[in-house]
Amino acid sequence: MHAARGALGLGTGSHTKAKRPRLPGRPDYPRTGRRGWRRWVPSWRLALGSLLMFTATLATVVGIAYARTDIPKDLNAFATQQDTVYYWADGTPMARTGWVSRQEMPLSKIPDDVRWAVLAAENADFYSDHGISAQGITRALWRTVGDGDIQGGSTITQQYVKNVYLSQEQSFSRKFTEMLLAVKLDRHVSKDKILEEYLNTSWFGRGTYGLQRAAQAYYGKEVTQLNASEGAFLASLLKGASLYDPAINVRNRERAVERWEWTLDRMVSIGKLSPAERARYTTFPEPNPPHRPNNTGGQDGYLVQLAETYAKRAGHISDARFDLGGYQIYTTFEKPRMTALTRAVKDARDTLDPEQRKADRHVRFGAASVAPDGRILAVYGGPDFERQAFNESNAGTVPAGSAFTPFVYAAGLEHGISRKRNGPRTTVTPSTVYEGDDDIPIMTFEGPYWDRNGKMVKGQNDGNRSYGRISLHDAMAKAVNSPFLQLGMDTGLKQVRSTAEASGLLPSSFGPPVPAFSMGNSTPSAIRMADAYGMFAAHGMHTDPYSVRKITRNGEPVRLNLPQTKRAVRSAVADEVTASLTRPEWVGGASVATKAGTTEDDTARWYTGYNRDASTSVVVYRMDLTKSLAPLPLKGLGGDSATSKKLSSQIWKTYTEAVTK
C-alpha cells in the first residue's frame, strides 16, 4: 500500500506542477519554471539574441541609408556671397552693404600653428577619425536626452558638411544625414582638402567667411602673417562670434581670453606647440575694432543700422545668415523727409559756436518722424555714422520732462481718479478743475508727499507762474505742469505707466514710480516719443515703430512679422488730447498738435508735433560720449539767446514746413 502511494506520489507532503508547453519558435518569456521577479529576467540567450537582432537591424537601416546618400554636387548659396541692398520707401536704392567677399586660401599657405590652433580647439583627432566621432556622438546624445536639445559632438568634417551642404536646422534627421555625408566624404576626399574647404567656408563673424578674410577683419593682415596666438583667438570664433568677439561687449572679451588660453594649452597637450613657444604668448592678442558697412556714411549709416536690426528680428534672420548677403530690404524711410530733417538740424547746429562757447560743445540732436501707422519716415541720428555710430534718434538717454504730461492726461481721462485709498474712482473730463498755482504741495491719500530727503514735493510751473484753479484742458493747452503732477497721483502711477506703455514707450525707459514720474523722469528715444504721440493722431490706436516693410532674398520673399495695431486708449480720449494740443494754422496753413518739453534740471529740451500724416519729435541735449551717458546742463547754450532756447521747436518747424509745401 505504501509502495503504491509512493509510486503515485501520494502522502509525501509535496507534488510536482506540470510544465506549460512552449510553442515552437516562441521565446521563453516570461520564463517558465521561475517564480516571482525571476520570471521577468531574460535568459542570456534571449538577451544576446535580442541585441544581435537589434544590431543587425540597425546596421541594415544605416547601410541602406548610407548607400542611398550621395554627396551633393552644389554648395549652399553662401559660397557666392552677395551684397545686401537697401531701398527707400519709393523703391529706389538707398545703400548697398557687403562686408567682404570670400577669398580662397590654399591650406599650404595657412601657417601650421594657425591650422593646429583650429584643430586643437575643434577636433584634435581630425586626421585619425573617420568623419565622425563615437565619443562626440555619445556626448551629443547625452546632451539631447539630458537637456532636450540637439547640439555638440560634431567633427570638423561634420561641421563642413553642415555648412556647405545642409541647413542649420536642429533636428535628428538633419544630424543623421550629416553623419552619413561626413563618413562618405571622409572616404572620398582627402583630409587636407576637407580641412582647406572648412577653413575657407566657416563663419568668423563681422561678415567674414574663411580664415583669410577673418585675418583681415580682426587683425588687418593676411592669414600667412598670423601666429599661433592670433590663430587661437580666431579659432574661438568658430564657437560663435556673437559670444567671443570682444568688440561686442566686455563679457565677450572675458570668454575670448579664457578660450584663447585654453586653446594654446590644448596645443601644448597634443604636441603641436612647445612649452617654450607657449610661454611667449602671455598677452591676449587684441583684435582691431570692426569696420563700418560700406556706402553708409552720413545719415544713411543710421538708417541701415535701424533697418538691419529690425530685419534680423522681424525676419528671424541670424547674424551668420544675414552676413551671407543677397537680401533686398525695402525700408519705410522717405528720402525727401530725410533730406529736410537733416537740413533742419544742420541749420540749427550752425547757430552754435563750440570753439568760443563751452556750453555749445557736445550738443546732440535726436529727431525722428513716424507715421501714425508706425512707419519710421525719417531720423536724424548724428553728424556722420562713420565718425559716430551712436544713434541719437534711438538713444534712451535723456528724460522726457514735461513732454510726458499728455500721457498723464490720457491716463486720467481713460481710468478716472481716486482720492481715497480703495475708494471709488471718479470720472475725469476736460473741464475737471485742478489747482494750477506754482509751488503747491502734491497730495497723497494720507497727506503731502515727502521724498526720501524729507522734503515736501511741490508742483513747479515754467517760469514759476501761477494760474489758480484751471481745467485740465486749459492746463494742457497752456503747458501748466502742477495739475498733471497731482493728476498722476490721483490717477495712480501704475495706470499712468500702463497708458504710456500702451502708447509705445518702452518699459525699459520708465523712471521710478515717484511723483516725478508724471513729470517725465522716463527716458524715451526720439523715435519712441514720436511714435507714442502718433497714437493720438491715430485716434487711440497704436502700432510699434518699424523701419522695414518687405524683405526678399534673390527675389524670394522672406517672411516678415510686422507689428500689429492695438488700441491704447479710447478714441474720445486721444481726440481730446489732440484738441488740447492743437495750434490752429500754425504751420503751412494747417492745424497741428504740438507740445514742448523741458526738464527741471534743464538737461533736455523736447518738441513734438503731429498731424494725420506724421508725428515728429526733436530733442536737444548735451552729452560727452567719451566720459559717460549722463546728460549735461544746457544752461548757456547758444549764449542763452531766445533763439537757442527754441532750437528743438525751430528744427521741428523748419522740417515740417519743408515737407508740407
Side-chain angles (χ1 to χ4, degrees), residues 352-387:
L352 303 178
D353 189 356
E355 294 185 1
Q356 298 298 322
R357 283 190 294 265
K358 184 178 180 180
D360 288 0
R361 299 168 191 169
H362 311 300
V363 180
R364 308 196 176 278
F365 302 86
S369 192
V370 181
D373 61 6
R375 289 174 294 123
I376 303 176
L377 305 176
V379 302
Y380 180 86
D384 190 313
F385 185 79
E386 292 289 350
R387 293 189 286 114

Side-chain angles (χ1 to χ4, degrees), residues 330-350:
Y330 297 86
T331 75
T332 60
F333 306 125
E334 297 183 0
K335 190 173 183 179
R337 286 182 177 272
M338 275 298 303
T339 301
L341 187 56
T342 302
R343 183 179 294 119
V345 175
K346 182 181 182 301
D347 290 346
R349 190 185 292 276
D350 288 344

Side-chain angles (χ1 to χ4, degrees), residues 403-460:
F404 188 82
T405 54
F407 305 111
V408 181
Y409 188 23
L413 294 171
E414 183 77 12
H415 299 287
I417 61 173
S418 177
R419 289 176 174 155
K420 292 184 179 180
R421 188 177 297 279
N422 299 321
R425 300 191 75 84
T426 303
T427 300
V428 169
T429 69
S431 59
T432 299
V433 175
Y434 267 75
E435 291 292 339
D437 285 343
D438 184 63
D439 208 33
I440 58 172
I442 301 306
M443 305 300 291
T444 67
F445 298 138
E446 289 79 19
Y449 187 97
W450 300 81
D451 64 19
R452 292 184 177 181
N453 297 320
K455 182 180 179 181
M456 183 184 294
V457 176
K458 299 181 179 181
Q460 302 292 327

Side-chain angles (χ1 to χ4, degrees), residues 9 14 49 56 74 106 234 261 267 289 453 487 527 540 552 597:
S14 64
D74 298 321
L234 293 180
E261 292 177 336
M267 291 177 70
N453 297 320
L487 178 63
I527 291 176
T552 60

Side-chain angles (χ1 to χ4, degrees), residues 522-533:
S522 301
T523 57
S525 67
I527 291 176
R528 283 287 170 173
M529 187 68 92
D531 176 67
Y533 270 73

